[in-house]
Amino acid sequence: MHRASALFKTVTEGFEGGDGRPIREMEITLLEEVERWLTRRSWSVSDRPLERVLAAKRGTTVSVVLPALNEEATVGDIVRVIRRELMTEAVPLVDELVVVDSGSTDRTAEVAAAAGARVVARDAILPGIPAVPGKGEVLWRSLMVTSGDVVCFVDADLRDFSADFVTGIVGPLLTDPDVDFVKAMYDRPFGDTPGQGGRVTELVARPLLNLHWPRLAGFVQPLGGEYAARRSLLERLPFPVGYGVELGLLVDALHTVGLDALAQVDVGVRKHRHQDGQALGRMAAAIYRTAQLRLSRGHLVRPVLTQFERGAHGFEPRTYAVDTEERPPMAEIAEYAHRRVA
């Protein structure tokens, strides 16, 4: 054995974790736990035929939410597929389909409504609480204007959309009462290159999860925007208002209901609009900050991120505030509680 390797092995096995076990033993145990979870809680959409999912639905209601900002090119097709394939007399899987428009300046709202969605403006929801920009803000407010026992989130920029994205992640929640939260997993091509999408996932989110929440290391697409959960869980979770919402919900769901209540389903290929490198930098900063808050829960300075763009006189700095605000669990909002009672 190489001397450095031998030293590392000796040192890591010499330290104890919080429960008194050697760190090496803990690492092996965690790996085994993730492997068991992958066997028990990772499926393909084909594992649950639509007929089985419908038979298991019984009286459970399902809401699909599309958060949208300037997505007129794609939102209509997504709405039409869901209505045509999952909201018919023969296939009544989805009970309500809501597009929450977060201030689009294009025809997103008009296109979505024409395709058959109920469109709600972000600022019209909980008007007593001033809205802030961000995807997480829209998802949080959507709980107020939907009623389904199961809430399914789908990004509005998907191309070549398949109804499998909905049936795949809703299915386990209808057939398996012990499952509370389901993420979609898929291939993410970057242009014509397969498997190169998800750059922030690979550079930021996956390292963070492996280092700090290793039980979540088995999630293929931890930042994916397609996931479904029981309302009874979502209303108990805080929502980061910006790009950190997916990481935050996943980590908080782990701590709230445990790993075995989380699952993922392979739904094929996800095609969507890719953001430029600077937008990805802002996303990465918000995700790191979301993780940092969950690690410390302390009072930290609100951070900013400076990026550089070439201008007429060379590189010019552009400074952006990083999304760090979070909305409290919806169950703590008086208007929501009043609605549930009414």
Side-chain angles (χ1 to χ4, degrees):
M1 179 182 293
H2 191 279
R3 183 177 183 278
S5 300
L7 178 62
F8 177 75
K9 185 173 187 294
T10 302
V11 170
T12 56
E13 290 186 347
F15 283 96
E16 291 185 349
D19 60 359
R21 289 180 296 161
I23 287 178
R24 180 61 178 163
E25 178 185 336
M26 293 171 64
E27 290 174 346
I28 292 172
T29 302
L30 282 171
L31 180 60
E32 292 173 346
E33 182 180 2
V34 171
E35 289 178 343
R36 288 194 300 270
W37 177 82
L38 284 168
T39 300
R40 285 175 41 81
R41 293 295 188 237
S42 290
W43 298 293
S44 168
V45 64
S46 61
D47 291 333
R48 289 176 179 77
L50 184 56
E51 295 77 11
R52 179 187 171 195
V53 173
L54 286 171
K57 187 173 187 285
R58 302 185 182 92
T60 304
T61 54
V62 176
S63 301
V64 175
V65 173
L66 276 65
L69 176 62
N70 296 329
E71 303 295 356
E72 68 171 311
T74 51
V75 68
D77 288 340
I78 298 172
V79 169
R80 278 187 287 272
V81 169
I82 294 173
R83 288 199 61 86
R84 182 177 66 243
E85 300 186 25
L86 303 177
M87 298 182 73
T88 65
E89 184 176 349
V91 185
L93 181 65
V94 174
D95 298 283
E96 64 177 346
L97 174 55
V98 179
V99 171
V100 182
D101 183 30
S102 58
S104 296
T105 56
D106 65 2
R107 298 175 59 250
T108 292
E110 180 183 342
V111 169
R118 176 162 63 95
V119 180
V120 183
R122 176 199 62 196
D123 295 354
I125 307 170
L126 292 170
I129 302 175
V132 297
K135 178 184 178 182
E137 177 82 354
V138 174
L139 300 184
W140 181 72
R141 288 175 185 264
S142 75
L143 297 181
M144 189 68 194
V145 293
T146 56
S147 59
D149 304 308
V150 169
V151 182
C152 172
F153 298 124
V154 176
D155 280 351
D157 66 342
L158 302 189
R159 296 184 287 108
D160 301 332
F161 178 76
S162 167
D164 286 350
F165 275 77
V166 176
T167 57
I169 57 180
V170 167
L173 296 165
L174 299 178
T175 62
D176 296 73
D178 294 333
V179 173
D180 291 325
F181 188 99
V182 184
K183 297 278 294 190
M185 57 177 168
Y186 31 66
D187 294 319
R188 294 183 67 179
F190 184 66
D192 296 327
T193 306
Q196 295 300 309
R199 291 162 289 171
V200 176
T201 292
E202 300 304 328
L203 295 174
V204 181
R206 201 176 306 285
L208 284 171
L209 292 176
N210 276 264
L211 289 169
H212 299 297
W213 296 280
R215 287 181 174 85
L216 297 175
F219 275 93
V220 175
Q221 297 292 351
L223 299 185
E226 290 69 47
Y227 47 102
R230 300 190 191 280
R231 176 177 296 271
S232 57
L233 171 60
L234 290 174
E235 65 187 12
R236 295 157 58 197
L237 301 180
F239 277 61
V241 300
Y243 286 130
V245 63
E246 272 80 33
L247 183 88
L249 290 178
L250 188 59
V251 169
D252 292 342
L254 171 69
H255 291 303
T256 303
V257 295
L259 180 61
D260 203 49
L262 313 183
Q264 60 184 349
V265 176
D266 186 348
V267 297
V269 178
R270 183 186 197 267
K271 298 179 181 179
H272 66 113
R273 182 187 70 253
H274 292 282
Q275 302 199 52
D276 62 36
Q278 293 204 332
L280 294 179
R282 296 190 291 273
M283 183 185 299
I287 289 164
Y288 179 81
R289 174 61 168 169
T290 299
Q292 185 184 43
L293 287 170
R294 275 152 183 76
L295 289 169
S296 66
R297 293 296 184 184
H299 179 71
L300 301 173
V301 176
R302 181 177 175 88
V304 295
L305 174 71
T306 299
Q307 297 177 318
F308 294 88
E309 300 176 7
R310 184 180 291 279
H313 305 288
F315 286 102
E316 300 174 356
R318 299 284 188 273
T319 301
Y320 302 87
V322 174
D323 294 320
T324 59
E325 186 172 352
E326 298 195 1
R327 292 304 190 185
M330 185 59 80
E332 297 178 6
I333 302 300
E335 293 92 334
Y336 186 79
H338 177 73
R339 190 200 71 163
R340 295 298 295 275
V341 171

